């Protein structure tokens, strides 16, 4: 914290009063010149969103971030706080962060008129200069702008025409700060109209008061394109007053998606030390989200949030941790079998179209996992032919024949040694792994053994049945349960 001072000492220090745009621009320019990262943790936006964001700031624009759910819109807005000065001086006691150089409230003007250079000055840290409001249908003008406070009028014995009886809303209190209004289309049209003057002229009007209050605010709005048709819209004059509209997007590669998940997933250091996650398992997890965004069962207009893979990674780790507890083991590796644990993370994060609703969320989630498995499988191994000529040997013939005389039962709570010993018993499977992915490390090779078996069941070459704790693989047509 910085100690309070007086207006005289502030002026003597050489402090220069700046608008919030000037302040953000100056700090942005300093970071660019120093080759410092401006917006950290925004993976995949380096060549798209971030350059547009920098230009909007240099242009002094209010910003609308338009994109589907889970595209880091709010994170971008919050990261702008780092472009503010560490501390900002205000007239002590001001409700709306009055600058002593340009006071706009009656309280600050009267105090400076009375005390002059002895006016007390306090300092506000940049972390307290960020205001965020979720636009919901019940938000009203009083919440955002303010209203007359009858209790204050009665207590101070003042008429309603006196400025001192006003109760300031969130926007005036965000003077000289960043104000983020999330999901703007959800705000009723008549409430959006109340923002016109603030955005264009920078002033507010409360209950017909002849009050000019030139607020200095950096506005950042967020919106989902789906909202324009399903729940509301941004009224045209308001959209016209927002200087820059920037489109966000999902990560375009598995590598970028992995970086986001690894950054955001809440996994303890203890769990990281005890639970090994193979590279292929991390890639497969991201592939599920990519499959969902392409799926005919999932509503593309709603998007598939990055929170799906973040939540799914946490569920994967939880499944492995439960196995550690139940098997009394010290370490374990995430298995393909554990991916059944991410189904709750998928069903809660996707909006289904009619056909998907008919199939059911759980079934669609399993289809997405299967689709992701096949994409990863075909990037590593030869494709499995749907139709084969009789007597023609394929890379998978020996594995399929092994199951003609054998049955494999994998238990969720098996220790790693028990689990992988069962897989090692399938000699043709080990041979296939060595012939195609010998360059992978042991963890990924182990994961590949499961990958091959699952791909064969998806391709109807083997049957798979499961219950709460056991997964069984057997020759096609023999099992009691058939894949749907």
């Amino acid at each position: 914290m910085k100690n309070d001072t007086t207006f005289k000492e502030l002026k003597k220090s050489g402090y220069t009063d700046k608008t919030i745009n000037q302040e953000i621009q100056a700090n942005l320019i300093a970071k660019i010149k120093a080759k410092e990262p401006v917006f950290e943790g925004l993976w995949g936006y380096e060549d798209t969103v971030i350059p547009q964001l920098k230009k909007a700031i240099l242009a002094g624009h209010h910003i609308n971030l338009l994109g589907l759910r889970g595209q880091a819109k709010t994170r971008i807005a919050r990261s702008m706080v780092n472009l503010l000065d560490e501390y900002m001086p205000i007239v002590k006691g001001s409700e709306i962060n009055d600058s002593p150089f340009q006071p706009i409230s009656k309280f600050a003007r009267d105090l400076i008129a009375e005390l002059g250079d002895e006016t007390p000055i306090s300092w506000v840290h940049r972390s307290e200069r960020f205001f965020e409001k979720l636009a919901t249908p019940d938000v009203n003008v009083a919440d955002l702008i303010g209203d007359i406070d009858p209790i204050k009028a009665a207590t101070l014995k003042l008429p309603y025409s006196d400025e001192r009886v006003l109760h300031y809303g969130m926007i005036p209190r965000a003077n000289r700060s960043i104000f983020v209004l999330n999901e703007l289309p959800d705000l009723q049209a008549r409430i959006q109209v109340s923002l016109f003057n603030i955005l264009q002229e920078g002033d507010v009007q409360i209950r017909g008061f002849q009050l000019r209050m030139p607020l200095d605010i950096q506005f950042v709005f967020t919106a989902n394109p789906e909202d324009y048709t399903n729940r509301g819209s941004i009224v045209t004059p308001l959209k016209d007053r927002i200087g820059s509209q920037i489109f966000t997007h999902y990560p375009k590669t598995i590598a970028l998606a992995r970086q986001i998940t690894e950054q955001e997933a809440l996994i303890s250091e203890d769990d990281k030390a005890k639970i090994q996650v193979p590279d292929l398992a991390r890639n497969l997890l991201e592939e599920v989200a990519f499959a969902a965004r392409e799926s005919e069962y999932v509503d593309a207009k709603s998007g598939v949030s990055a929170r799906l893979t973040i939540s799914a990674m946490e569920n994967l780790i939880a499944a492995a941790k439960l196995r550690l507890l139940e098997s009394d083991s010290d370490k374990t590796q995430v298995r393909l079998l554990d991916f059944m644990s991410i189904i709750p993370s998928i069903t809660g994060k996707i909006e289904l179209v009619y056909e998907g609703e008919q199939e059911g969320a759980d079934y669609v989630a399993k289809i997405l996992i299967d689709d992701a498995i096949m994409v990863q499988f075909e990037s590593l191994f030869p494709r499995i032919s749907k139709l084969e000529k009789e007597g023609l040997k394929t890379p998978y013939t020996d594995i399929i024949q092994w199951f003609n005389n054998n049955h494999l039962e994998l238990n969720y709570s098996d220790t790693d040694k028990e689990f992988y010993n069962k897989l090692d018993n399938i000699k043709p499977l080990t041979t296939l792994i060595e012939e195609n992915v010998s360059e992978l490390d042991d963890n990924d090779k182990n994961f590949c053994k499961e990958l091959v078996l699952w791909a064969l069941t998806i391709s109807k070459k083997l049957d798979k049945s499961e219950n709460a704790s056991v997964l069984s693989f057997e020759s096609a047509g023999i099992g009691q349960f058939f894949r749907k």
Side-chain angles (χ1 to χ4, degrees):
M1 288 181 62
K2 289 191 74 170
N3 295 326
D4 291 352
T5 183
T6 64
F7 193 15
K8 180 179 180 180
E9 291 170 331
L10 180 65
K11 288 189 284 189
K12 191 183 292 185
S13 71
Y15 177 83
T16 304
D17 193 42
K18 296 171 284 192
T19 66
I20 189 165
N21 278 331
Q22 291 170 340
E23 182 182 338
I24 292 175
Q25 287 171 15
N27 289 322
L28 173 64
I29 290 167
K31 281 181 177 287
I32 292 172
K33 286 183 175 179
K35 308 294 184 188
E36 294 177 8
V38 180
F39 301 100
E40 297 187 74
L42 297 175
W43 303 109
Y45 285 167
E46 295 85 351
D47 301 319
T48 53
V49 174
I50 290 176
Q52 293 181 52
L53 200 56
K54 289 176 181 176
K55 292 169 193 172
I57 292 170
L58 292 173
H61 286 172
H62 298 302
I63 299 166
N64 182 28
L65 298 170
L66 186 63
L68 297 172
R69 65 178 74 175
Q71 290 185 351
K73 298 187 294 295
T74 304
R75 187 187 184 94
I76 292 169
R78 289 174 179 169
S79 67
M80 288 180 66
V81 173
N82 297 321
L83 293 175
L84 296 172
D85 291 342
E86 187 174 7
Y87 285 96
M88 172 187 74
I90 67 167
V91 175
K92 189 172 184 177
S94 168
E95 292 181 86
I96 59 170
N97 294 332
D98 276 290
S99 165
F101 296 95
Q102 296 182 42
I104 60 175
S105 71
K106 182 173 176 57
F107 165 81
R109 293 196 306 269
D110 289 350
L111 191 63
I112 291 174
E114 178 188 348
L115 299 179
D117 281 353
E118 297 306 311
T119 301
I121 302 298
S122 59
W123 296 86
V124 178
H125 191 261
R126 62 183 164 215
S127 61
E128 297 175 328
R129 296 174 63 194
F130 179 85
F131 293 76
E132 188 175 351
K133 177 66 177 171
L134 176 64
T136 53
D138 62 324
V139 173
N140 57 41
V141 175
D143 294 332
L144 294 178
I145 313 298
D147 205 346
I148 293 169
D149 186 342
I151 297 174
K152 190 184 285 187
T155 304
L156 299 175
K157 297 181 180 179
L158 295 171
Y160 284 172
S161 59
D162 194 302
E163 185 181 331
R164 287 171 290 177
V165 305
L166 293 176
H167 174 77
Y168 297 115
M170 285 189 72
I171 290 177
R173 290 175 186 274
N175 185 39
R176 302 171 72 202
S177 303
I178 296 170
F179 188 89
V180 179
L181 193 57
N182 283 314
E183 310 301 342
L184 179 59
D186 283 351
L187 202 64
Q188 293 183 51
R190 63 186 180 83
I191 312 301
Q192 292 183 36
V193 169
S194 68
L195 301 176
F196 288 0
N197 261 37
I198 299 171
L199 288 175
Q200 192 66 44
E201 287 81 23
D203 66 349
V204 295
Q205 297 174 8
I206 300 175
R207 290 278 182 175
F209 264 82
Q210 292 300 312
L211 168 69
R212 178 166 174 79
M213 188 176 286
L215 297 173
D216 182 22
I217 299 173
Q218 171 65 58
F219 279 97
V220 181
F221 302 99
T222 73
N224 187 319
E226 181 196 21
D227 294 342
Y228 287 112
T229 54
N230 284 8
R231 296 203 295 267
S233 63
I234 302 176
V235 296
T236 305
L238 178 60
K239 199 192 300 187
D240 184 54
R241 286 166 164 81
I242 301 171
S244 290
Q245 180 167 276
I246 299 172
F247 288 88
T248 56
H249 56 82
Y250 289 120
K252 296 177 181 178
T253 67
I254 294 293
L256 287 171
R258 272 185 57 168
Q259 285 180 293
I260 294 168
T261 302
E262 288 169 22
Q263 174 179 277
E264 300 297 325
L266 299 176
I267 302 169
S268 70
E269 291 303 319
D270 186 51
D271 286 345
K272 288 178 182 178
K274 291 180 178 179
I275 300 167
Q276 172 68 39
V277 186
D279 269 356
L280 290 181
R282 295 181 188 275
N283 291 346
L284 180 60
L285 189 69
E286 304 303 335
E287 204 69 69
V288 171
F290 277 68
R293 289 172 193 140
E294 298 293 327
S295 173
E296 61 183 340
Y297 296 117
V298 178
D299 185 0
K301 296 196 301 293
S302 294
V304 177
S305 169
R307 286 183 282 271
L308 184 151
T309 49
I310 294 165
S311 176
M313 176 60 80
E314 291 166 352
N315 260 344
L316 268 186
I317 298 297
K321 189 171 185 176
L322 181 60
R323 177 165 58 252
L324 283 177
L325 296 170
E326 291 178 346
S327 63
D328 197 25
S329 302
D330 295 325
K331 289 192 175 183
T332 190
Q333 173 182 321
V334 166
R335 306 165 184 170
L336 185 48
L337 196 59
D338 296 327
F339 272 70
M340 291 299 98
S341 303
I342 74 171
I343 290 174
S345 297
I346 299 173
T347 55
K349 299 287 191 299
I350 56 175
E351 296 290 333
L352 302 178
V353 295
Y354 178 73
E355 290 83 358
E357 291 171 352
Q358 292 289 96
E359 296 290 355
D362 275 13
Y363 180 61
V364 170
K366 289 177 182 177
I367 288 176
L368 297 178
I369 294 172
D370 285 354
D371 289 346
I373 286 171
M374 291 310 295
V375 169
Q376 187 171 79
F377 171 80
E378 289 176 358
S379 71
L380 298 169
F381 297 95
R383 294 193 69 168
I384 301 171
S385 302
K386 289 185 179 179
L387 298 173
E388 299 166 7
K389 291 182 180 178
E390 191 173 345
L392 183 65
K393 189 171 182 180
T394 74
Y396 309 102
T397 302
D398 290 344
I399 298 173
I400 294 168
Q401 288 178 349
W402 186 91
F403 278 95
N404 288 336
N405 303 307
N406 297 279
H407 169 85
L408 176 66
E409 194 172 273
L410 300 175
N411 196 304
Y412 286 82
S413 58
D414 282 341
T415 65
D416 281 10
K417 185 177 180 180
E418 293 168 339
F419 188 84
Y420 293 115
N421 277 346
K422 291 178 183 178
L423 289 170
D424 288 342
N425 286 332
I426 310 173
K427 301 304 179 184
L429 180 58
T430 303
T431 302
L432 180 76
I433 299 299
E434 291 303 325
E435 287 177 351
N436 290 275
V437 290
S438 58
E439 73 283 359
L440 296 180
D441 65 27
D442 289 342
N443 291 327
D444 280 329
K445 285 180 182 177
N446 284 333
F447 193 80
C448 279
K449 291 175 183 177
E450 288 184 90
L451 191 70
V452 170
L453 296 182
W454 281 64
L456 288 171
T457 64
I458 294 167
S459 301
K460 308 292 180 67
K461 304 300 181 183
L462 296 176
D463 276 346
K464 171 166 64 74
S465 60
E466 59 184 294
N467 59 33
S469 60
V470 176
L471 185 69
S472 298
F473 293 91
E474 50 213 354
S475 181
I478 293 178
Q480 290 181 321
F481 303 97
F482 295 84
R483 184 176 176 277
K484 195 172 180 181

